[in-house]
């Protein structure tokens, strides 16, 4: 959601100043890229997980402020809705057991947070969309107290000029409207970060786009929204619609959406930041006091505050990130398309699959993106979100193929090779990628498990069935046994 901002109103002059400043940021960023002023020696990887909060019977618990106070850990932060919180896992290198370190730290933190938040009647659950959310939970009154959320909601609704319309057709149909961006809070994700050099960034971003559809297919975990069975990964169309600043007329004119897969392969990280500035007006035109050109000339690292904040309000599924750590600037790809959960073990399997596959493809001598159109990658993305484990995707040299067959025959060996290049040992690779393999063989993801349980409860009232199934799901989550092994 970008940086913290104070409540305020923006004038036309503010927007003009911000446009000038963000373009200056872009010029300085281009100079930094030319002069190679980036930390590239020993790349790190990172992980963020968003959680939903539920009460004892499985309904949303609108208590994130109380839960965060009880957890009392700076790694946990507020999120958009009062029924969300987020956890940032310290970055690590993958070699020497890095994935296991991530897993153990995440599990330990989750257990401690659950123990403390339970005391205020809020239990943590990792799932892409909380299935027991009802219309009454998606109002502006359920936005978190942080002023940036109300300000962002106000700016998006003002830009749109009308209420947000949500229209999704899957196994069932959903039509609803909202007077704020709170439907976005229904989307809770896992985010993987991979640090890269300026020279390698385009390859890692392009590779991330190539594999996005397959990632969704084998990891889908968001089948229900507002009582309706929709897509296997309903977060994708929901997020695309919930932060759409365009009226119907602007859509018809071809104006680009702020939640965006993109439209082309890139040759530089600069392409993405330049597109953000060229195509998208500022939602939060906050101007920082720093002169980035002076900072660079004096040997300091420019914060590029306006460019960073603006980038945080363009919601690419694979987002470029510029940041500073220990006094050094760095770049990373933020892979933002997967749901949270079902278990820590499943999350780490998803991480191993992403980190391994993206490195193998990024370092391939004949780039895969030179062999397929960008539109094919986007079609794969939506097929994976819509159909989950049953998705069929396009792959160069193969044509249309079942995503599971592609993973088993081609992509898992590539992921093993990429993890080996990261320095991940054989046992760790086989354990985590083995979870992906078993999902493909059994046909069970979080979405499939949840839908299967719901179909067994067809005779119950829909929300009673959702509550009961969510409580079963939460019990499975706490076993940390991968979802394909759960009783069905």
């Amino acid at each position: 959601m970008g940086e913290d901002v104070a409540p305020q109103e923006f004038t036309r002059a503010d927007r003009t100043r911000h446009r000038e400043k963000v373009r200056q940021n872009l010029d300085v960023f281009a100079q930094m890229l030319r002069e190679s002023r980036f930390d590239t020696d020993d790349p790190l990887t990172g992980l963020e997980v968003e959680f939903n909060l539920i009460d004892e019977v499985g309904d949303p618990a609108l208590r994130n402020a109380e839960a965060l106070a009880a957890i009392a850990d700076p790694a946990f932060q507020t999120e958009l809705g009062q029924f969300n919180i987020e956890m940032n896992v310290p970055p690590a290198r993958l070699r020497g057991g890095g994935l296991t370190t991530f897993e153990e730290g995440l599990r330990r933190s989750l257990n401690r947070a659950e123990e403390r938040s339970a005391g205020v009647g809020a239990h943590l659950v990792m799932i892409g969309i909380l299935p027991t959310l009802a219309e009454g939970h998606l109002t502006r009154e359920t936005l978190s107290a942080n002023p940036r959320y109300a300000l962002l909601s106000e700016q998006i609704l003002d830009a749109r000029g009308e209420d947000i319309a949500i229209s999704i057709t899957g196994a069932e149909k959903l039509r609803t409207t909202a007077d704020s961006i709170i439907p976005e809070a229904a989307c809770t994700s896992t985010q993987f970060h991979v640090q890269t050099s300026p020279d390698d960034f385009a390859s890692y971003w392009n590779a991330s786009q190539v594999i996005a559809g397959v990632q969704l297919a084998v990891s889908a975990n968001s089948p229900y929204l507002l009582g309706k069975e929709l897509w296997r990964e309903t977060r994708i169309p929901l997020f695309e619609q919930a932060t759409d600043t365009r009226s119907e007329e602007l859509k018809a004119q071809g104006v680009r959406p702020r939640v965006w897969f993109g439209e082309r392969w890139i040759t530089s990280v600069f392409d993405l930041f330049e597109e953000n500035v060229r195509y998208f007006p500022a939602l939060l035109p906050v101007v920082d006091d720093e002169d980035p050109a002076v900072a660079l000339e004096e040997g300091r690292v420019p914060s590029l505050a306006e460019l960073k904040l603006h980038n945080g309000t363009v919601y690419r599924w694979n987002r470029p990130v510029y940041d500073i750590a220990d006094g050094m600037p760095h770049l990373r790809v933020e892979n933002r398309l997967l749901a949270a959960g079902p278990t820590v073990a499943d999350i780490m399997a998803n991480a191993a699959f992403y980190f391994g596959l993206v490195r193998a493809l990024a370092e391939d001598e004949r780039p895969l993106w030179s062999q397929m159109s960008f539109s094919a990658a986007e079609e794969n993305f939506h097929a994976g979100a819509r159909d989950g484990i049953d998705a069929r995707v396009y792959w160069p040299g193969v044509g249309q193929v079942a995503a599971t067959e592609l993973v088993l025959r081609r992509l898992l060996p590539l992921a093993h090779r990429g993890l080996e290049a990261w320095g991940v040992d054989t046992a760790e690779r086989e354990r985590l990628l083995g979870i992906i393999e078993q999902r493909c063989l059994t046909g069970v993801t979080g979405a499939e498990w949840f839908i299967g349980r719901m179909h067994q409860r067809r005779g119950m009232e829909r929300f009673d069935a959702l509550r009961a199934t969510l409580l079963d799901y939460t019990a499975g989550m706490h076993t940390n046994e991968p979802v394909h092994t759960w009783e069905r």
Side-chain angles (χ1 to χ4, degrees), residues 6 19 61 75 106 139 175 177 219 224 242 278 316 326 340 357 364 369 371 385 409 426 429 441 461:
R19 181 178 289 110
L106 180 55
T139 68
R175 304 284 186 276
T177 59
S219 309
Y224 285 87
R278 180 154 45 104
R316 296 178 186 270
D326 299 325
L357 194 52
D364 200 305
W369 48 95
Q371 305 169 54
R409 292 179 179 272
T426 302
R429 296 199 313 268
L441 293 172
E461 192 276 329

Side-chain angles (χ1 to χ4, degrees), residues 465-488:
L466 287 167
R467 291 183 189 98
T469 302
L470 181 60
L471 293 179
D472 290 345
Y473 175 100
T474 304
M477 181 190 79
H478 284 296
T479 69
N480 204 34
E481 295 297 325
V483 69
H484 71 266
T485 69
W486 295 3
E487 181 182 350
R488 299 195 291 278

Side-chain angles (χ1 to χ4, degrees), residues 293-311:
V294 171
L296 190 64
E297 186 178 333
E298 293 177 349
R300 292 181 283 115
V301 179
S303 67
L304 306 185
E306 294 82 8
L307 190 66
K308 284 178 60 179
L309 181 57
H310 185 54
N311 184 55

Side-chain angles (χ1 to χ4, degrees), residues 352-369:
F353 187 60
Y354 171 71
F355 289 134
L357 194 52
V358 76
R359 178 154 183 172
L361 293 180
E363 295 183 352
D364 200 305
E365 290 184 2
R366 189 187 176 200
L368 205 64
W369 48 95

Side-chain angles (χ1 to χ4, degrees), residues 231-462:
W231 289 21
R232 271 16 185 196
E233 193 51 67
T234 305
R235 282 174 48 261
I236 301 303
L238 176 60
F239 196 72
E240 288 175 342
Q241 296 176 34
T243 52
D244 199 340
T245 57
R246 303 170 302 164
S247 65
E248 291 302 317
E249 293 80 7
L250 291 178
K251 291 178 189 177
Q253 292 170 33
V255 172
R256 293 162 178 85
R258 293 192 91 96
V259 178
W260 200 28
F261 187 78
E263 62 188 15
R264 63 187 176 113
W265 307 118
I266 65 168
T267 58
S268 167
V269 63
F270 185 81
D271 295 349
L272 301 178
F273 283 98
E274 191 272 337
E275 283 180 349
N276 288 355
V277 174
R278 180 154 45 104
Y279 294 147
F280 301 103
L283 287 179
L284 301 173
V286 180
V287 176
D288 188 74
D289 291 335
E290 179 189 71
D291 184 320
V294 171
L296 190 64
E297 186 178 333
E298 293 177 349
R300 292 181 283 115
V301 179
S303 67
L304 306 185
E306 294 82 8
L307 190 66
K308 284 178 60 179
L309 181 57
H310 185 54
N311 184 55
T313 63
V314 179
Y315 304 99
R316 296 178 186 270
W317 294 108
N318 286 297
R319 177 187 274 165
V321 176
Y322 165 86
D323 212 345
I324 302 169
D326 299 325
M328 284 288 290
H330 68 262
L331 299 171
R332 58 185 192 265
V333 177
E334 181 187 28
N335 179 254
R336 313 174 59 249
L337 52 97
L338 294 188
T343 67
V344 172
D346 285 302
I347 287 175
M348 295 318 305
N350 296 341
F353 187 60
Y354 171 71
F355 289 134
L357 194 52
V358 76
R359 178 154 183 172
L361 293 180
E363 295 183 352
D364 200 305
E365 290 184 2
R366 189 187 176 200
L368 205 64
W369 48 95
S370 70
Q371 305 169 54
M372 67 187 294
S373 68
F374 193 88
S375 62
E378 186 171 16
E379 288 169 11
N380 287 350
F381 177 74
H382 285 105
R386 184 183 60 248
D387 301 329
I389 202 75
D390 295 324
R392 294 184 64 81
V393 297
Y394 171 79
W395 202 255
V398 178
Q400 291 293 321
V401 61
T404 51
E405 180 181 348
L406 179 66
V407 171
L408 291 169
R409 292 179 179 272
R410 293 206 175 195
L411 302 190
L412 281 174
L414 282 174
H416 273 284
R417 192 175 80 196
L419 288 177
E420 187 175 15
W422 282 114
V424 178
D425 66 38
T426 302
E428 197 172 36
R429 296 199 313 268
E430 290 181 347
R431 178 176 66 86
L432 293 173
L433 293 180
I435 294 173
I436 302 295
E437 179 184 39
Q438 287 302 309
R439 284 190 212 152
C440 293
L441 293 172
T442 61
V444 178
T445 59
E448 299 302 328
W449 182 91
F450 206 101
I451 289 170
R453 274 295 174 96
M454 284 294 294
H455 288 182
Q456 293 171 20
R457 292 182 162 122
R458 276 201 179 98
M460 296 176 64
E461 192 276 329
R462 177 61 65 92

